[in-house]
Amino acid sequence: MITIKKQYSLLSHNTFGIDVNADTFVEYSSTDDLKQFLHDKEIIGNPYLHIGSGSNLLFLSDYKGTILHSRIQEIEVIENANDHVLVKVGAGVEWDNFVAHCVSQGWAGAENLSLIPGEIGASAVQNIGAYGVEAKDLITQVEAIEIISGKEHIFSNAECNYSYRQSIFKSELKNKFIITYVTYKLSKHPVYNLEYGNIKAELEKYPEISLTTIRQAIIAIRNSKLPDPKVEGNAGSFFMNPIIPRSQFQALQMQFPTIPHYDIDQDHVKVPAGWMIDQCGWKGKTLGHAGVHSKQALVIVNKGNATGNDIITLSREIQASVKNMFNIEIHPEVNFIS
Ligand code: EPU
């Protein structure tokens, strides 16, 4: 089924809560519907944007083009082996509904990614990650339609070129394919991943360690730090954590001995942008209608009636402070749409 709406408010389709309209808003519930739409309407040559649940977008103005949104909803086990399952999931399934399903079935691997907002298609574009796990660790293949030809293509995990918050769908193939299904491999013999941050400490509050309690612990940690978009509009982490040369990190560590960090490889270190923004004194501060979350400085919030430009103005101030204090450039994880 396809639904097409004109002059449609995107308020319920972006977690920042920015009230803008799209000229045209299209939802489809199958690959055939999508192909048909691409064939008939010839969006090629006109502005268009495919969104998930709008949890990583910042609209700067009304969208003068077509917004596409997948409603492909199936979750299908395509291989059920002794030690693992392969699960093919429609791009329009809510990510956290999929995680909840995995946990309830006893399939391990996705539990640390509990409560991440967004949909399955975006998980494969964005390589979402949290608490030591990234979507790329679970994805075996990605099915997509090439926009220009309408042809189906299957990408192996290696072909997706994954790295931290990066994939081929955000770089070389940006806006060239629409993801329809993602296949994930989950384990039936869980190896829990509890090393990140305070997961172990949180789990001490629970009677046992299981997929269910890990999910509960992750949800509790996220809820304690991250604002609920229904209460205060936001898009989770606004900036990516910068990856810097180890030599630069060592010099910084002399100056800031408590600087948290994660080793990437022999030559590179990832530094939490939230820590640097916090050190710059931004936590809990507001500028116009935008603010820095009081419990996690990496998150910019809509304090009420913010426009996209209010959010950008604050983000630029933050970038300048971090550059000034640490000589590091931080870049948005959120995509700006105009
Ligand atoms: N920190 C501060 N002050 C702050 C924020 C962080 O000192 O205001 C320090 C923390 O104490 C910790 C370090 O910075 O030592 C890292 O903080 P945290 O563990 O909260 O994680 P993060 O690096 O800020 C990343 C992801 C989150 C993900 C968490 C947990 C990115 C851009 N963000 O945040 O992802 O939930 O790790 O794995 O990589 C998202 O992408 O929207 C998101 C929420």
Side-chain angles (χ1 to χ4, degrees), residues 48-84:
Y48 64 90
L49 172 73
H50 201 292
I51 63 168
S53 58
S55 55
N56 219 16
L57 297 178
L58 180 62
F59 287 107
L60 302 182
S61 54
D62 285 338
Y63 190 75
K64 301 279 171 217
T66 301
I67 302 262
L68 291 148
H69 181 226
S70 172
R71 303 283 296 164
I72 303 179
Q73 294 287 352
E74 303 99 89
I75 299 183
E76 186 194 353
V77 174
I78 56 171
E79 184 177 307
N80 196 344
N82 284 339
D83 62 341
H84 70 263

PDB file of all heavy atoms in Angstrom, residues 48-84:
ATOM      1  N   TYR A  48      14.376  14.858  -2.793  1.00  0.00           N
ATOM      2  CA  TYR A  48      13.677  13.861  -1.990  1.00  0.00           C
ATOM      3  C   TYR A  48      14.582  13.446  -0.852  1.00  0.00           C
ATOM      4  O   TYR A  48      15.805  13.634  -0.889  1.00  0.00           O
ATOM      5  CB  TYR A  48      13.279  12.629  -2.831  1.00  0.00           C
ATOM      6  CG  TYR A  48      14.465  11.878  -3.356  1.00  0.00           C
ATOM      7  CD1 TYR A  48      15.031  10.855  -2.618  1.00  0.00           C
ATOM      8  CD2 TYR A  48      15.042  12.199  -4.577  1.00  0.00           C
ATOM      9  CE1 TYR A  48      16.144  10.186  -3.079  1.00  0.00           C
ATOM     10  CE2 TYR A  48      16.137  11.543  -5.049  1.00  0.00           C
ATOM     11  CZ  TYR A  48      16.687  10.531  -4.293  1.00  0.00           C
ATOM     12  OH  TYR A  48      17.794   9.885  -4.749  1.00  0.00           O
ATOM     13  N   LEU A  49      13.960  12.893   0.171  1.00  0.00           N
ATOM     14  CA  LEU A  49      14.703  12.467   1.349  1.00  0.00           C
ATOM     15  C   LEU A  49      13.985  11.266   1.934  1.00  0.00           C
ATOM     16  O   LEU A  49      12.770  11.298   2.087  1.00  0.00           O
ATOM     17  CB  LEU A  49      14.712  13.613   2.378  1.00  0.00           C
ATOM     18  CG  LEU A  49      15.281  13.290   3.752  1.00  0.00           C
ATOM     19  CD1 LEU A  49      16.802  13.156   3.674  1.00  0.00           C
ATOM     20  CD2 LEU A  49      14.905  14.379   4.757  1.00  0.00           C
ATOM     21  N   HIS A  50      14.747  10.215   2.235  1.00  0.00           N
ATOM     22  CA  HIS A  50      14.149   9.056   2.906  1.00  0.00           C
ATOM     23  C   HIS A  50      14.433   9.183   4.387  1.00  0.00           C
ATOM     24  O   HIS A  50      15.578   9.353   4.778  1.00  0.00           O
ATOM     25  CB  HIS A  50      14.728   7.756   2.346  1.00  0.00           C
ATOM     26  CG  HIS A  50      13.821   6.599   2.613  1.00  0.00           C
ATOM     27  ND1 HIS A  50      13.601   6.134   3.885  1.00  0.00           N
ATOM     28  CD2 HIS A  50      13.053   5.862   1.793  1.00  0.00           C
ATOM     29  CE1 HIS A  50      12.728   5.136   3.822  1.00  0.00           C
ATOM     30  NE2 HIS A  50      12.375   4.949   2.568  1.00  0.00           N
ATOM     31  N   ILE A  51      13.391   9.101   5.211  1.00  0.00           N
ATOM     32  CA  ILE A  51      13.617   9.201   6.659  1.00  0.00           C
ATOM     33  C   ILE A  51      13.254   7.889   7.353  1.00  0.00           C
ATOM     34  O   ILE A  51      12.542   7.044   6.788  1.00  0.00           O
ATOM     35  CB  ILE A  51      12.798  10.359   7.296  1.00  0.00           C
ATOM     36  CG1 ILE A  51      11.293  10.141   7.145  1.00  0.00           C
ATOM     37  CG2 ILE A  51      13.196  11.694   6.686  1.00  0.00           C
ATOM     38  CD1 ILE A  51      10.458  11.093   8.002  1.00  0.00           C
ATOM     39  N   GLY A  52      13.768   7.734   8.580  1.00  0.00           N
ATOM     40  CA  GLY A  52      13.315   6.645   9.440  1.00  0.00           C
ATOM     41  C   GLY A  52      12.349   7.261  10.427  1.00  0.00           C
ATOM     42  O   GLY A  52      11.350   7.856  10.033  1.00  0.00           O
ATOM     43  N   SER A  53      12.699   7.219  11.729  1.00  0.00           N
ATOM     44  CA  SER A  53      11.783   7.865  12.670  1.00  0.00           C
ATOM     45  C   SER A  53      12.208   9.290  12.974  1.00  0.00           C
ATOM     46  O   SER A  53      11.719   9.893  13.928  1.00  0.00           O
ATOM     47  CB  SER A  53      11.646   7.043  13.949  1.00  0.00           C
ATOM     48  OG  SER A  53      12.906   6.879  14.509  1.00  0.00           O
ATOM     49  N   GLY A  54      13.136   9.823  12.184  1.00  0.00           N
ATOM     50  CA  GLY A  54      13.513  11.231  12.339  1.00  0.00           C
ATOM     51  C   GLY A  54      14.248  11.501  13.635  1.00  0.00           C
ATOM     52  O   GLY A  54      14.157  12.596  14.189  1.00  0.00           O
ATOM     53  N   SER A  55      15.004  10.504  14.122  1.00  0.00           N
ATOM     54  CA  SER A  55      15.686  10.695  15.401  1.00  0.00           C
ATOM     55  C   SER A  55      17.110  11.193  15.210  1.00  0.00           C
ATOM     56  O   SER A  55      17.851  11.333  16.177  1.00  0.00           O
ATOM     57  CB  SER A  55      15.680   9.388  16.200  1.00  0.00           C
ATOM     58  OG  SER A  55      16.236   8.361  15.436  1.00  0.00           O
ATOM     59  N   ASN A  56      17.490  11.437  13.973  1.00  0.00           N
ATOM     60  CA  ASN A  56      18.850  11.912  13.725  1.00  0.00           C
ATOM     61  C   ASN A  56      18.861  13.046  12.701  1.00  0.00           C
ATOM     62  O   ASN A  56      19.829  13.232  11.977  1.00  0.00           O
ATOM     63  CB  ASN A  56      19.684  10.732  13.210  1.00  0.00           C
ATOM     64  CG  ASN A  56      21.073  10.739  13.781  1.00  0.00           C
ATOM     65  OD1 ASN A  56      21.336  11.420  14.761  1.00  0.00           O
ATOM     66  ND2 ASN A  56      21.983  10.032  13.148  1.00  0.00           N
ATOM     67  N   LEU A  57      17.725  13.746  12.653  1.00  0.00           N
ATOM     68  CA  LEU A  57      17.548  14.792  11.634  1.00  0.00           C
ATOM     69  C   LEU A  57      17.256  16.127  12.288  1.00  0.00           C
ATOM     70  O   LEU A  57      16.616  16.183  13.333  1.00  0.00           O
ATOM     71  CB  LEU A  57      16.308  14.477  10.771  1.00  0.00           C
ATOM     72  CG  LEU A  57      16.303  13.214   9.947  1.00  0.00           C
ATOM     73  CD1 LEU A  57      14.957  13.109   9.236  1.00  0.00           C
ATOM     74  CD2 LEU A  57      17.421  13.254   8.927  1.00  0.00           C
ATOM     75  N   LEU A  58      17.711  17.186  11.629  1.00  0.00           N
ATOM     76  CA  LEU A  58      17.337  18.534  12.072  1.00  0.00           C
ATOM     77  C   LEU A  58      16.823  19.287  10.845  1.00  0.00           C
ATOM     78  O   LEU A  58      17.592  19.596   9.923  1.00  0.00           O
ATOM     79  CB  LEU A  58      18.558  19.248  12.669  1.00  0.00           C
ATOM     80  CG  LEU A  58      18.286  20.669  13.167  1.00  0.00           C
ATOM     81  CD1 LEU A  58      17.257  20.659  14.295  1.00  0.00           C
ATOM     82  CD2 LEU A  58      19.569  21.335  13.642  1.00  0.00           C
ATOM     83  N   PHE A  59      15.507  19.539  10.828  1.00  0.00           N
ATOM     84  CA  PHE A  59      14.927  20.279   9.712  1.00  0.00           C
ATOM     85  C   PHE A  59      15.146  21.777   9.925  1.00  0.00           C
ATOM     86  O   PHE A  59      14.798  22.314  10.976  1.00  0.00           O
ATOM     87  CB  PHE A  59      13.427  19.982   9.582  1.00  0.00           C
ATOM     88  CG  PHE A  59      13.142  18.617   9.044  1.00  0.00           C
ATOM     89  CD1 PHE A  59      12.663  17.608   9.864  1.00  0.00           C
ATOM     90  CD2 PHE A  59      13.380  18.331   7.706  1.00  0.00           C
ATOM     91  CE1 PHE A  59      12.412  16.336   9.357  1.00  0.00           C
ATOM     92  CE2 PHE A  59      13.129  17.065   7.188  1.00  0.00           C
ATOM     93  CZ  PHE A  59      12.645  16.061   8.017  1.00  0.00           C
ATOM     94  N   LEU A  60      15.710  22.429   8.909  1.00  0.00           N
ATOM     95  CA  LEU A  60      16.000  23.863   9.017  1.00  0.00           C
ATOM     96  C   LEU A  60      14.884  24.711   8.416  1.00  0.00           C
ATOM     97  O   LEU A  60      14.785  25.901   8.703  1.00  0.00           O
ATOM     98  CB  LEU A  60      17.321  24.175   8.322  1.00  0.00           C
ATOM     99  CG  LEU A  60      18.527  23.396   8.859  1.00  0.00           C
ATOM    100  CD1 LEU A  60      19.796  23.803   8.141  1.00  0.00           C
ATOM    101  CD2 LEU A  60      18.687  23.615  10.355  1.00  0.00           C
ATOM    102  N   SER A  61      14.068  24.110   7.556  1.00  0.00           N
ATOM    103  CA  SER A  61      12.970  24.854   6.927  1.00  0.00           C
ATOM    104  C   SER A  61      11.972  23.842   6.363  1.00  0.00           C
ATOM    105  O   SER A  61      12.225  22.622   6.419  1.00  0.00           O
ATOM    106  CB  SER A  61      13.517  25.728   5.789  1.00  0.00           C
ATOM    107  OG  SER A  61      14.251  24.915   4.890  1.00  0.00           O
ATOM    108  N   ASP A  62      10.855  24.354   5.807  1.00  0.00           N
ATOM    109  CA  ASP A  62       9.914  23.449   5.131  1.00  0.00           C
ATOM    110  C   ASP A  62      10.658  22.664   4.063  1.00  0.00           C
ATOM    111  O   ASP A  62      11.595  23.191   3.442  1.00  0.00           O
ATOM    112  CB  ASP A  62       8.795  24.268   4.451  1.00  0.00           C
ATOM    113  CG  ASP A  62       7.794  24.799   5.467  1.00  0.00           C
ATOM    114  OD1 ASP A  62       7.693  24.246   6.575  1.00  0.00           O
ATOM    115  OD2 ASP A  62       7.125  25.804   5.134  1.00  0.00           O
ATOM    116  N   TYR A  63      10.255  21.408   3.859  1.00  0.00           N
ATOM    117  CA  TYR A  63      10.971  20.587   2.877  1.00  0.00           C
ATOM    118  C   TYR A  63      10.278  20.681   1.518  1.00  0.00           C
ATOM    119  O   TYR A  63       9.131  20.239   1.358  1.00  0.00           O
ATOM    120  CB  TYR A  63      11.064  19.127   3.363  1.00  0.00           C
ATOM    121  CG  TYR A  63      12.006  18.347   2.492  1.00  0.00           C
ATOM    122  CD1 TYR A  63      13.376  18.510   2.608  1.00  0.00           C
ATOM    123  CD2 TYR A  63      11.515  17.495   1.506  1.00  0.00           C
ATOM    124  CE1 TYR A  63      14.257  17.842   1.778  1.00  0.00           C
ATOM    125  CE2 TYR A  63      12.393  16.818   0.672  1.00  0.00           C
ATOM    126  CZ  TYR A  63      13.757  16.999   0.814  1.00  0.00           C
ATOM    127  OH  TYR A  63      14.626  16.349  -0.010  1.00  0.00           O
ATOM    128  N   LYS A  64      10.984  21.255   0.565  1.00  0.00           N
ATOM    129  CA  LYS A  64      10.398  21.496  -0.762  1.00  0.00           C
ATOM    130  C   LYS A  64      10.673  20.300  -1.672  1.00  0.00           C
ATOM    131  O   LYS A  64      11.485  20.366  -2.596  1.00  0.00           O
ATOM    132  CB  LYS A  64      11.007  22.752  -1.405  1.00  0.00           C
ATOM    133  CG  LYS A  64      10.806  24.009  -0.575  1.00  0.00           C
ATOM    134  CD  LYS A  64       9.418  24.561  -0.823  1.00  0.00           C
ATOM    135  CE  LYS A  64       9.067  25.674   0.127  1.00  0.00           C
ATOM    136  NZ  LYS A  64       7.677  25.667   0.551  1.00  0.00           N
ATOM    137  N   GLY A  65      10.070  19.196  -1.336  1.00  0.00           N
ATOM    138  CA  GLY A  65      10.282  17.995  -2.132  1.00  0.00           C
ATOM    139  C   GLY A  65       9.476  16.852  -1.527  1.00  0.00           C
ATOM    140  O   GLY A  65       8.482  17.077  -0.847  1.00  0.00           O
ATOM    141  N   THR A  66       9.951  15.619  -1.771  1.00  0.00           N
ATOM    142  CA  THR A  66       9.227  14.429  -1.316  1.00  0.00           C
ATOM    143  C   THR A  66       9.976  13.757  -0.176  1.00  0.00           C
ATOM    144  O   THR A  66      11.168  13.469  -0.310  1.00  0.00           O
ATOM    145  CB  THR A  66       9.085  13.432  -2.489  1.00  0.00           C
ATOM    146  OG1 THR A  66       8.388  14.090  -3.540  1.00  0.00           O
ATOM    147  CG2 THR A  66       8.337  12.183  -2.077  1.00  0.00           C
ATOM    148  N   ILE A  67       9.265  13.510   0.906  1.00  0.00           N
ATOM    149  CA  ILE A  67       9.835  12.723   2.008  1.00  0.00           C
ATOM    150  C   ILE A  67       9.273  11.308   1.896  1.00  0.00           C
ATOM    151  O   ILE A  67       8.051  11.129   1.765  1.00  0.00           O
ATOM    152  CB  ILE A  67       9.446  13.314   3.383  1.00  0.00           C
ATOM    153  CG1 ILE A  67       9.920  14.758   3.507  1.00  0.00           C
ATOM    154  CG2 ILE A  67       9.931  12.415   4.505  1.00  0.00           C
ATOM    155  CD1 ILE A  67      11.183  15.017   4.231  1.00  0.00           C
ATOM    156  N   LEU A  68      10.159  10.323   1.913  1.00  0.00           N
ATOM    157  CA  LEU A  68       9.742   8.922   1.836  1.00  0.00           C
ATOM    158  C   LEU A  68       9.944   8.258   3.195  1.00  0.00           C
ATOM    159  O   LEU A  68      10.933   8.539   3.882  1.00  0.00           O
ATOM    160  CB  LEU A  68      10.609   8.182   0.807  1.00  0.00           C
ATOM    161  CG  LEU A  68      10.395   8.565  -0.648  1.00  0.00           C
ATOM    162  CD1 LEU A  68      11.691   8.422  -1.428  1.00  0.00           C
ATOM    163  CD2 LEU A  68       9.326   7.662  -1.241  1.00  0.00           C
ATOM    164  N   HIS A  69       9.009   7.368   3.536  1.00  0.00           N
ATOM    165  CA  HIS A  69       9.120   6.653   4.814  1.00  0.00           C
ATOM    166  C   HIS A  69       8.641   5.218   4.628  1.00  0.00           C
ATOM    167  O   HIS A  69       7.541   4.987   4.127  1.00  0.00           O
ATOM    168  CB  HIS A  69       8.267   7.360   5.880  1.00  0.00           C
ATOM    169  CG  HIS A  69       8.352   6.709   7.223  1.00  0.00           C
ATOM    170  ND1 HIS A  69       7.259   6.444   8.004  1.00  0.00           N
ATOM    171  CD2 HIS A  69       9.426   6.256   7.920  1.00  0.00           C
ATOM    172  CE1 HIS A  69       7.643   5.870   9.138  1.00  0.00           C
ATOM    173  NE2 HIS A  69       8.960   5.747   9.105  1.00  0.00           N
ATOM    174  N   SER A  70       9.486   4.271   5.040  1.00  0.00           N
ATOM    175  CA  SER A  70       9.150   2.854   4.880  1.00  0.00           C
ATOM    176  C   SER A  70       8.185   2.386   5.956  1.00  0.00           C
ATOM    177  O   SER A  70       8.338   2.724   7.131  1.00  0.00           O
ATOM    178  CB  SER A  70      10.433   2.016   4.969  1.00  0.00           C
ATOM    179  OG  SER A  70      10.102   0.646   5.007  1.00  0.00           O
ATOM    180  N   ARG A  71       7.193   1.593   5.524  1.00  0.00           N
ATOM    181  CA  ARG A  71       6.322   0.898   6.495  1.00  0.00           C
ATOM    182  C   ARG A  71       6.461  -0.615   6.282  1.00  0.00           C
ATOM    183  O   ARG A  71       5.523  -1.373   6.546  1.00  0.00           O
ATOM    184  CB  ARG A  71       4.863   1.327   6.300  1.00  0.00           C
ATOM    185  CG  ARG A  71       4.630   2.822   6.406  1.00  0.00           C
ATOM    186  CD  ARG A  71       4.633   3.339   7.819  1.00  0.00           C
ATOM    187  NE  ARG A  71       3.532   2.782   8.580  1.00  0.00           N
ATOM    188  CZ  ARG A  71       3.462   2.810   9.917  1.00  0.00           C
ATOM    189  NH1 ARG A  71       4.451   3.315  10.610  1.00  0.00           N
ATOM    190  NH2 ARG A  71       2.422   2.308  10.540  1.00  0.00           N
ATOM    191  N   ILE A  72       7.634  -1.045   5.764  1.00  0.00           N
ATOM    192  CA  ILE A  72       7.864  -2.489   5.595  1.00  0.00           C
ATOM    193  C   ILE A  72       8.119  -3.069   6.984  1.00  0.00           C
ATOM    194  O   ILE A  72       9.080  -2.689   7.655  1.00  0.00           O
ATOM    195  CB  ILE A  72       9.055  -2.769   4.646  1.00  0.00           C
ATOM    196  CG1 ILE A  72       8.815  -2.116   3.286  1.00  0.00           C
ATOM    197  CG2 ILE A  72       9.271  -4.273   4.503  1.00  0.00           C
ATOM    198  CD1 ILE A  72       9.953  -2.320   2.287  1.00  0.00           C
ATOM    199  N   GLN A  73       7.248  -3.965   7.418  1.00  0.00           N
ATOM    200  CA  GLN A  73       7.178  -4.289   8.851  1.00  0.00           C
ATOM    201  C   GLN A  73       7.563  -5.729   9.231  1.00  0.00           C
ATOM    202  O   GLN A  73       7.542  -6.040  10.409  1.00  0.00           O
ATOM    203  CB  GLN A  73       5.746  -4.044   9.347  1.00  0.00           C
ATOM    204  CG  GLN A  73       5.299  -2.594   9.320  1.00  0.00           C
ATOM    205  CD  GLN A  73       5.951  -1.739  10.395  1.00  0.00           C
ATOM    206  OE1 GLN A  73       6.638  -2.263  11.267  1.00  0.00           O
ATOM    207  NE2 GLN A  73       5.777  -0.435  10.322  1.00  0.00           N
ATOM    208  N   GLU A  74       7.864  -6.611   8.274  1.00  0.00           N
ATOM    209  CA  GLU A  74       8.036  -8.014   8.675  1.00  0.00           C
ATOM    210  C   GLU A  74       9.296  -8.276   9.499  1.00  0.00           C
ATOM    211  O   GLU A  74      10.309  -7.605   9.324  1.00  0.00           O
ATOM    212  CB  GLU A  74       8.151  -8.960   7.464  1.00  0.00           C
ATOM    213  CG  GLU A  74       7.015  -8.945   6.486  1.00  0.00           C
ATOM    214  CD  GLU A  74       7.335  -8.078   5.277  1.00  0.00           C
ATOM    215  OE1 GLU A  74       7.898  -8.613   4.327  1.00  0.00           O
ATOM    216  OE2 GLU A  74       7.015  -6.875   5.307  1.00  0.00           O
ATOM    217  N   ILE A  75       9.207  -9.287  10.356  1.00  0.00           N
ATOM    218  CA  ILE A  75      10.382  -9.851  11.025  1.00  0.00           C
ATOM    219  C   ILE A  75      10.321 -11.356  10.745  1.00  0.00           C
ATOM    220  O   ILE A  75       9.367 -12.022  11.153  1.00  0.00           O
ATOM    221  CB  ILE A  75      10.354  -9.626  12.559  1.00  0.00           C
ATOM    222  CG1 ILE A  75      10.343  -8.134  12.892  1.00  0.00           C
ATOM    223  CG2 ILE A  75      11.527 -10.324  13.229  1.00  0.00           C
ATOM    224  CD1 ILE A  75      10.388  -7.810  14.390  1.00  0.00           C
ATOM    225  N   GLU A  76      11.308 -11.878   9.992  1.00  0.00           N
ATOM    226  CA  GLU A  76      11.224 -13.272   9.543  1.00  0.00           C
ATOM    227  C   GLU A  76      12.538 -14.006   9.831  1.00  0.00           C
ATOM    228  O   GLU A  76      13.618 -13.511   9.485  1.00  0.00           O
ATOM    229  CB  GLU A  76      10.963 -13.273   8.019  1.00  0.00           C
ATOM    230  CG  GLU A  76      10.722 -14.630   7.437  1.00  0.00           C
ATOM    231  CD  GLU A  76      10.818 -14.616   5.894  1.00  0.00           C
ATOM    232  OE1 GLU A  76      10.947 -13.520   5.300  1.00  0.00           O
ATOM    233  OE2 GLU A  76      10.801 -15.710   5.312  1.00  0.00           O
ATOM    234  N   VAL A  77      12.426 -15.183  10.461  1.00  0.00           N
ATOM    235  CA  VAL A  77      13.634 -15.996  10.687  1.00  0.00           C
ATOM    236  C   VAL A  77      13.939 -16.720   9.388  1.00  0.00           C
ATOM    237  O   VAL A  77      13.112 -17.490   8.891  1.00  0.00           O
ATOM    238  CB  VAL A  77      13.399 -17.021  11.828  1.00  0.00           C
ATOM    239  CG1 VAL A  77      14.605 -17.946  11.957  1.00  0.00           C
ATOM    240  CG2 VAL A  77      13.126 -16.297  13.130  1.00  0.00           C
ATOM    241  N   ILE A  78      15.118 -16.473   8.811  1.00  0.00           N
ATOM    242  CA  ILE A  78      15.422 -17.131   7.534  1.00  0.00           C
ATOM    243  C   ILE A  78      16.411 -18.277   7.704  1.00  0.00           C
ATOM    244  O   ILE A  78      16.617 -19.068   6.791  1.00  0.00           O
ATOM    245  CB  ILE A  78      15.918 -16.124   6.456  1.00  0.00           C
ATOM    246  CG1 ILE A  78      17.142 -15.336   6.936  1.00  0.00           C
ATOM    247  CG2 ILE A  78      14.808 -15.186   6.021  1.00  0.00           C
ATOM    248  CD1 ILE A  78      17.772 -14.509   5.818  1.00  0.00           C
ATOM    249  N   GLU A  79      17.026 -18.373   8.879  1.00  0.00           N
ATOM    250  CA  GLU A  79      17.874 -19.535   9.172  1.00  0.00           C
ATOM    251  C   GLU A  79      17.826 -19.766  10.666  1.00  0.00           C
ATOM    252  O   GLU A  79      18.028 -18.824  11.441  1.00  0.00           O
ATOM    253  CB  GLU A  79      19.316 -19.250   8.714  1.00  0.00           C
ATOM    254  CG  GLU A  79      20.234 -20.441   8.885  1.00  0.00           C
ATOM    255  CD  GLU A  79      21.627 -20.136   8.338  1.00  0.00           C
ATOM    256  OE1 GLU A  79      21.741 -19.716   7.172  1.00  0.00           O
ATOM    257  OE2 GLU A  79      22.595 -20.306   9.114  1.00  0.00           O
ATOM    258  N   ASN A  80      17.553 -21.023  11.038  1.00  0.00           N
ATOM    259  CA  ASN A  80      17.475 -21.337  12.469  1.00  0.00           C
ATOM    260  C   ASN A  80      18.464 -22.468  12.736  1.00  0.00           C
ATOM    261  O   ASN A  80      18.144 -23.640  12.544  1.00  0.00           O
ATOM    262  CB  ASN A  80      16.032 -21.752  12.801  1.00  0.00           C
ATOM    263  CG  ASN A  80      15.789 -21.718  14.278  1.00  0.00           C
ATOM    264  OD1 ASN A  80      16.734 -21.674  15.082  1.00  0.00           O
ATOM    265  ND2 ASN A  80      14.527 -21.732  14.674  1.00  0.00           N
ATOM    266  N   ALA A  81      19.683 -22.122  13.120  1.00  0.00           N
ATOM    267  CA  ALA A  81      20.732 -23.124  13.329  1.00  0.00           C
ATOM    268  C   ALA A  81      20.846 -23.443  14.822  1.00  0.00           C
ATOM    269  O   ALA A  81      20.154 -22.858  15.641  1.00  0.00           O
ATOM    270  CB  ALA A  81      22.053 -22.569  12.798  1.00  0.00           C
ATOM    271  N   ASN A  82      21.741 -24.402  15.165  1.00  0.00           N
ATOM    272  CA  ASN A  82      21.886 -24.766  16.582  1.00  0.00           C
ATOM    273  C   ASN A  82      22.358 -23.603  17.420  1.00  0.00           C
ATOM    274  O   ASN A  82      21.906 -23.406  18.537  1.00  0.00           O
ATOM    275  CB  ASN A  82      22.903 -25.908  16.727  1.00  0.00           C
ATOM    276  CG  ASN A  82      22.273 -27.210  16.306  1.00  0.00           C
ATOM    277  OD1 ASN A  82      21.046 -27.319  16.294  1.00  0.00           O
ATOM    278  ND2 ASN A  82      23.106 -28.179  15.955  1.00  0.00           N
ATOM    279  N   ASP A  83      23.297 -22.830  16.858  1.00  0.00           N
ATOM    280  CA  ASP A  83      23.913 -21.793  17.686  1.00  0.00           C
ATOM    281  C   ASP A  83      23.497 -20.376  17.314  1.00  0.00           C
ATOM    282  O   ASP A  83      23.844 -19.434  18.015  1.00  0.00           O
ATOM    283  CB  ASP A  83      25.445 -21.914  17.627  1.00  0.00           C
ATOM    284  CG  ASP A  83      25.958 -21.716  16.213  1.00  0.00           C
ATOM    285  OD1 ASP A  83      25.147 -21.849  15.259  1.00  0.00           O
ATOM    286  OD2 ASP A  83      27.146 -21.414  16.050  1.00  0.00           O
ATOM    287  N   HIS A  84      22.788 -20.195  16.189  1.00  0.00           N
ATOM    288  CA  HIS A  84      22.421 -18.827  15.812  1.00  0.00           C
ATOM    289  C   HIS A  84      21.123 -18.796  14.990  1.00  0.00           C
ATOM    290  O   HIS A  84      20.678 -19.837  14.500  1.00  0.00           O
ATOM    291  CB  HIS A  84      23.553 -18.157  15.012  1.00  0.00           C
ATOM    292  CG  HIS A  84      23.723 -18.723  13.646  1.00  0.00           C
ATOM    293  ND1 HIS A  84      24.650 -19.691  13.339  1.00  0.00           N
ATOM    294  CD2 HIS A  84      23.065 -18.463  12.476  1.00  0.00           C
ATOM    295  CE1 HIS A  84      24.567 -19.999  12.063  1.00  0.00           C
ATOM    296  NE2 HIS A  84      23.620 -19.283  11.514  1.00  0.00           N
TER     297      HIS A  84
END
